[in-house]
Amino acid sequence: MPQTKPVRAGEFLPLPRAFFGRDPRRVARQLLGKVLIREASGVRLTARIVELEAYLGEEDPAAHAYAGRTPRNAVLFGPPGHAYIYFIYGNHYCLNVSCELEGQAGSILLRAVEPVAGIQEMAHARGIEVHSKKDWPKLTSGPGRLCQAFGITRASDNGRDLTSPASGLWIGDDGLRRRAITVTPRIGITKAAEAPLRYLLTGNAFVSRAR
DNA sequence: ATATCGATTATCT
DNA sequence: GATAATCGATATG
């Protein structure tokens, strides 16, 4: 679903529901280069999506939906384009976007974004100081980091509609034409660890590093 | 530069 | 009781 309508600088168009109502592998590729937007109390944070992973639902042993629908993963079984947020390792939140048609439970894990606007607000939320651009990757390079930078928690944001600017957390298109994509195995998992389902912008300095 | 480890809780066995 | 789609600190080369 390529962007055709021109967009003014700093302006974003929301993505239609149908954008997310497809195979997570296709959605993942098309989501690279799009922009995550948070608008709360008059402040706007934006960051470009540079790394993500596809999870294939009930057929994917690494997916939270593998064991079927539970209270925790219910959002994944609902309509596409919504935020599924989970808490991990007793410390961190991670943000997913639900994909595929209702009843199927595919999703995309956002692993890294490149800060565009609201740098100081992100630094404050992360509890760190950024003195120059070389510090920016510490803000949002990693699934836990980007959630902290954007103030995303399960309590505040699970189930949010990411296609709607009114929700205060959404994904927009500014018309940028992305460059090449690199595909690798997913990071940090033990089941189905070899499947090539991690997608990143080739050469981008804000992707998370393998641990 | 890489390696190892502790934090801290929801979820599952 | 064990594990987990992580991170930051510390140790070591």
Side-chain angles (χ1 to χ4, degrees):
Chain A
M1 226 148 288
Q3 179 63 54
T4 50
K5 198 167 137 193
V7 180
R8 293 208 314 272
E11 294 290 310
F12 305 98
L13 290 180
L15 301 171
R17 181 88 46 219
F19 180 98
F20 299 100
R22 299 175 291 159
D23 186 295
R25 289 164 286 207
R26 281 199 68 196
V27 180
R29 288 177 171 274
Q30 301 223 352
L31 225 36
L32 281 172
K34 300 297 187 288
V35 178
L36 181 66
I37 302 158
R38 164 70 105 190
E39 278 156 315
S41 53
V43 179
R44 175 190 260 186
L45 311 179
T46 65
R48 196 171 303 282
I49 297 170
V50 301
E51 175 189 351
L52 31 69
E53 288 176 354
Y55 288 84
L56 306 183
E58 292 180 279
E59 67 204 66
D60 179 358
H64 287 184
Y66 185 57
R69 179 178 180 143
T70 68
R72 178 205 199 192
N73 65 22
V75 170
L76 295 178
F77 290 83
H82 290 256
Y84 165 54
I85 294 150
Y86 65 91
F87 189 57
I88 190 69
Y89 296 116
N91 279 299
H92 310 287
Y93 293 97
C94 295
L95 169 63
N96 287 250
V97 189
S98 63
C99 296
E100 298 191 282
L101 302 178
E102 189 159 1
Q104 302 209 80
S107 66
I108 306 293
L109 169 69
L110 269 67
R111 285 200 55 92
V113 297
E114 174 174 347
V116 174
I119 307 304
Q120 290 310 321
E121 288 81 0
M122 293 184 201
H124 183 257
R126 291 271 295 117
I128 63 177
E129 295 196 1
V130 293
H131 300 104
S132 69
K133 203 160 176 174
K134 75 168 170 45
D135 297 325
W136 287 19
K138 286 204 282 281
L139 295 173
T140 55
S141 292
R145 288 170 168 180
L146 75 88
C147 281
Q148 191 177 18
F150 273 70
I152 294 168
T153 67
R154 180 166 169 96
S156 63
D157 294 301
N158 191 53
R160 261 192 213 294
D161 184 356
L162 299 175
T163 71
S164 167
S167 77
L169 181 67
W170 56 290
I171 297 173
D173 186 344
D174 66 351
L176 178 100
R177 291 278 223 109
R178 59 157 180 71
R179 313 280 258 265
I181 290 175
T182 297
V183 184
T184 78
R186 295 176 289 190
I187 289 180
I189 59 174
T190 56
K191 291 167 286 191
E194 69 296 327
L197 293 172
R198 171 175 174 249
Y199 305 84
L200 50 109
L201 293 180
T202 304
N204 186 279
F206 292 83
V207 302
S208 68
R209 305 244 294 206
R211 314 284 311 177

